Amino acid sequence: METIIQIFQYLGQGTEMIFAVYFAVSTLYVLVFASAGHFYKKRKQNTDDKLSKMAIFIPAYKEDAVIVGVAKKALLQQYPPSFYDVIVIADSLQSKTLIELQKLPIKVVKVSFENSTKAKALNAAIQDSDKDYDYAIILDADNIMESHFLMKMNTAFQNGFRVVQAHRKAKNQNTSFAILDAASEEINNHIYRRGHRALGLSSGLIGSGMGFDYKIFESIMKKITAIGGFDKELEFKLAQKNISIEYLQDTVVLDEKVQKSTDFSKQRRRWLATQFVYLKRYYKSGLRALFSSGNVNLFDKVFQMIVPPRILLLGITIITALVYCLLDFGLNIKTYVSSFVWVVNLTLLVVAFVLALPRSFYNTATLKAMASMPSAFLRMFCLLFNLKGANTKFIHTSHGVIKR
């Protein structure tokens, strides 16, 4: 009996240690790149008068509320109109929307799939194209480019970058969830884009506001069948080929943030499922590439899939630190891992988020929005147990109705 008790004690201690190490490593990863983000500097670029021909692909699945306005604004670029085409990929749009789109000097590619995905829509548009483009720009159906977006992207391309991620910013901050979503995106920009480029690693892709060498994009897209998270699959494919991704902090595209808790849940369910899918798919090749060819970028992409989403990382760390402090100081129960370890871990994590969050978010609106964080955490935590089928069917988040 005593031996059995000892076995259970060892198992409990081992589990406790693994849990603590996992969250400590995740925190250190976030902290390192949050700190590095402050050393990000815009690379000096040689100005070149050469203009590239660009295709702006805008997949629009049931986006009748926003797509006409977005297409019109995409035509207002400070870039010669003869050097770029706006290509709207119309999937399940209403007839009246199609009529309005066809009045514009753009290309409309009508598609219909039994199960729609962004990858299918983009591949259909690529196949439909009869022009030779130098670069492809990918937008979401709600994205608005700043007026010099294409010119700045062109400069980056002329300076040798083959894949570029622009700075995606919030179009709206009108609800608590929209503010949290906007803050989350900026933290991501700081850690996974600014921080990574500062340390010489590839920027992360976001899914829109992205630019690619057309031939590379066409070649890789043929192999992508992702239902959700096609940008993650793009990242892995590019990393396997050792193609670096540049980040342009000063090249802005506006993106609508989720406004309701239900949309938040749908979006995060898709993201969580994607994280597990790509971890399972690439962890072996990531480890192999690191040791066989020194491909740090591919390994880093795999490691990102191991680190829990930030709101789960923060929420679980807070709860665990409180529980350990209660056991240690309140009930005088000694644990294998000290409560001090969890308090330090929580402190470092808060420091990382403070470093990563732009100063523009330090206001009363953000403070009020933080009251919704427990709800967001609970939703994310519950989604961990409801991921079945999330990556077998396209989960659409609608846009266009801005609440006041």
Side-chain angles (χ1 to χ4, degrees):
M1 186 67 181
E2 188 175 333
T3 304
I4 293 174
I5 292 173
Q6 284 182 332
I7 290 172
F8 275 105
Q9 284 179 337
Y10 291 141
L11 286 173
Q13 290 171 355
T15 301
E16 199 178 342
M17 179 60 73
I18 290 170
F19 189 69
V21 168
Y22 171 65
F23 276 87
V25 170
S26 297
T27 295
L28 286 174
Y29 181 88
V30 172
L31 180 60
V32 166
F33 287 105
S35 302
H38 288 277
F39 296 93
Y40 167 88
K41 292 181 180 179
K42 180 183 175 181
R43 287 166 177 74
K44 291 183 179 179
Q45 297 182 335
N46 299 318
T47 55
D48 194 325
D49 292 335
K50 182 181 177 182
L51 295 174
S52 305
K53 292 182 179 179
M54 301 192 200
I56 304 176
F57 291 111
I58 312 178
Y61 174 75
K62 294 184 178 180
E63 293 287 7
D64 300 272
V66 294
I67 189 58
V68 175
V70 165
K72 286 179 179 178
K73 288 181 180 177
L75 293 167
L76 302 178
Q77 284 293 296
Q78 297 297 310
Y79 199 76
S82 60
F83 280 86
Y84 76 99
D85 289 322
V86 175
I87 305 170
V88 172
I89 311 167
D91 186 354
S92 305
L93 295 182
Q94 298 171 12
S95 298
K96 62 181 181 180
T97 304
L98 291 171
I99 292 171
E100 290 300 310
L101 286 172
Q102 288 164 347
K103 292 178 182 177
L104 301 175
I106 66 172
K107 294 187 176 182
V108 179
V109 179
K110 289 186 278 188
V111 297
S112 179
F113 307 106
E114 185 176 346
N115 294 304
S116 296
T117 69
K118 188 179 286 188
K120 287 180 183 178
L122 288 168
N123 277 315
I126 290 170
Q127 290 174 12
D128 184 79
S129 175
D130 58 356
K131 276 193 179 181
D132 290 328
Y133 296 105
D134 298 311
Y135 298 96
I137 306 294
I138 313 301
L139 299 181
D140 279 343
D142 62 301
N143 287 172
I144 304 295
M145 299 177 288
E146 63 165 322
S147 61
H148 289 88
F149 184 91
L150 291 185
M151 192 62 77
K152 291 178 180 179
M153 294 291 273
N154 181 67
T155 300
F157 291 137
Q158 295 307 317
N159 277 269
F161 295 108
R162 294 184 288 172
V163 182
V164 178
Q165 174 63 61
H167 181 187
R168 199 170 75 175
K169 293 180 69 172
K171 184 193 296 185
N172 60 299
Q173 294 185 37
N174 54 314
T175 69
S176 292
F177 273 94
I179 293 171
L180 292 180
D181 197 16
S184 175
E185 179 124 281
E186 289 300 346
I187 289 172
N188 268 351
N189 285 332
H190 188 95
I191 294 171
Y192 295 106
R193 284 167 266 288
R194 287 172 59 105
H196 274 68
R197 291 308 287 150
L199 294 181
L201 294 172
S202 269
S203 164
L205 294 176
I206 316 175
S208 69
M210 309 180 293
F212 302 85
D213 176 285
Y214 197 87
K215 290 181 179 177
I216 290 174
F217 182 67
E218 184 178 22
S219 172
I220 292 179
M221 281 305 301
K222 289 177 181 177
K223 303 172 185 176
I224 291 182
T225 57
I227 294 172
F230 95 105
D231 53 318
K232 290 302 171 192
E233 191 163 357
L234 269 172
E235 277 189 37
F236 280 107
K237 297 292 186 187
L238 291 167
Q240 285 178 324
K241 294 177 178 291
N242 269 316
I243 297 173
S244 182
I245 304 170
E246 175 64 325
Y247 175 61
L248 301 181
Q249 173 74 12
D250 66 341
T251 306
V252 176
V253 59
L254 299 178
D255 177 74
E256 186 178 316
K257 300 292 102 181
V258 296
Q259 301 169 64
K260 300 183 294 184
S261 57
T262 51
D263 286 339
F264 175 89
S265 294
K266 284 199 296 183
Q267 185 187 71
R268 264 47 179 191
R269 182 170 179 254
R270 183 176 70 239
W271 291 0
L272 273 173
T274 296
Q275 191 163 336
F276 284 110
V277 165
Y278 290 112
L279 173 60
K280 183 179 178 180
R281 185 176 300 173
Y282 286 102
Y283 78 95
K284 288 182 181 178
S285 58
L287 286 170
R288 191 162 50 244
L290 177 66
F291 294 108
S292 65
S293 60
N295 191 335
V296 179
N297 267 319
L298 182 56
F299 176 75
D300 177 65
K301 298 302 179 188
V302 172
F303 198 87
Q304 288 176 27
M305 300 298 101
I306 297 173
V307 176
R310 291 167 315 287
I311 194 163
L312 286 179
L313 179 60
L314 179 61
I316 292 173
T317 302
I318 290 173
I319 292 170
T320 307
L322 290 173
V323 169
Y324 269 72
C325 286
L326 176 63
L327 292 174
D328 195 0
F329 301 109
L331 303 177
N332 200 29
I333 297 175
K334 297 302 176 185
T335 52
Y336 187 67
V337 175
S338 169
S339 59
F340 177 75
V341 170
W342 282 101
V343 171
V344 169
N345 197 35
L346 176 58
T347 303
L348 293 177
L349 188 57
V350 170
V351 168
F353 289 152
V354 168
L355 288 172
L357 185 66
R359 295 296 170 262
S360 59
F361 281 87
Y362 286 76
N363 52 49
T364 54
T366 303
L367 195 61
K368 290 177 182 177
M370 288 176 67
S372 298
M373 285 185 67
S375 171
F377 167 74
L378 285 173
R379 285 177 175 275
M380 283 286 285
F381 187 77
C382 292
L383 288 175
L384 287 172
F385 308 97
N386 186 33
L387 295 179
K388 188 176 180 180
N391 211 54
T392 59
K393 186 178 181 181
F394 178 61
I395 301 174
H396 175 62
T397 304
S398 59
H399 301 96
V401 181
I402 305 293
K403 291 184 174 182
R404 299 296 176 188

